[in-house]
Amino acid sequence: MTDLQKEQIKTLRLQGISYVKIGEMLGISDNTVRSFCRRNGLSDTAKNTVACKQCGKLIKIVPKQKPRKFCSDACRTAWWNSHPDCVDRKAVYAYTCAHCGKPFTAYGNKERKYCSHGCYIADRFGEECGCCD
């Protein structure tokens, strides 16, 4: 059995696919798949686990709870930081700066008035902000 087949068996088994189907997909005996899974902790008891989306570590599924997707906060943060396209940002607001008049967008803040901290300081204290040329 090749390393590629071993990885494919791990992946397919974590998805809950049976030994027979995995054997048919990879062209190897279902007994070979079964013994590999038993040796590597992927047997029927592993059906109560899922793999972490970031590191692949097995996470135990607790009955009557929502299944976890990540093994830790560090993995969750790392995954979301590396997949910004998966974030559904609904709270993006368009404004016009109260100081310089330039249009800008802000995420998650409905009350924003200025495009930058420099414009806020300039408008409040009557100084030059540097962004308005």
Side-chain angles (χ1 to χ4, degrees):
M1 180 180 330
T2 66
D3 290 337
L4 177 62
Q5 286 176 327
K6 290 177 183 179
E7 288 301 316
Q8 289 174 330
I9 290 172
K10 286 180 185 178
T11 304
L12 294 171
R13 193 65 186 142
L14 289 174
Q15 293 174 2
I17 298 175
S18 69
Y19 301 129
V20 175
K21 292 213 180 201
I22 293 172
E24 289 173 356
M25 293 168 122
L26 301 178
I28 54 178
S29 168
D30 59 304
N31 287 326
T32 305
V33 174
R34 184 176 288 112
S35 63
F36 173 79
C37 290
R38 197 172 303 130
R39 281 190 308 262
N40 292 287
L42 300 170
S43 60
D44 289 335
T45 57
K47 285 187 177 180
N48 295 329
T49 61
V50 293
C52 174
K53 288 177 90 172
Q54 177 67 18
C55 68
K57 181 179 174 184
L58 293 179
I59 307 167
K60 195 169 196 174
I61 297 175
V62 179
K64 298 182 180 178
Q65 280 188 4
K66 183 179 176 181
R68 294 173 50 198
K69 295 179 184 176
F70 304 100
C71 64
S72 65
D73 285 340
C75 278
R76 178 181 50 80
T77 303
W79 192 88
W80 282 111
N81 286 338
S82 63
H83 295 84
D85 53 314
C86 296
V87 178
D88 187 18
R89 296 186 182 259
K90 295 179 182 175
V92 177
Y93 303 100
Y95 300 103
T96 303
C97 181
H99 177 70
C100 66
K102 291 182 183 176
F104 69 97
T105 59
Y107 177 69
N109 187 353
K110 287 191 230 182
E111 309 301 321
R112 191 150 173 192
K113 296 178 184 177
Y114 303 100
C115 64
S116 66
H117 183 70
C119 277
Y120 162 72
I121 296 297
D123 196 47
R124 181 162 181 194
F125 300 108
E127 299 172 3
E128 191 62 39
C129 65
C131 71
C132 310
D133 294 328

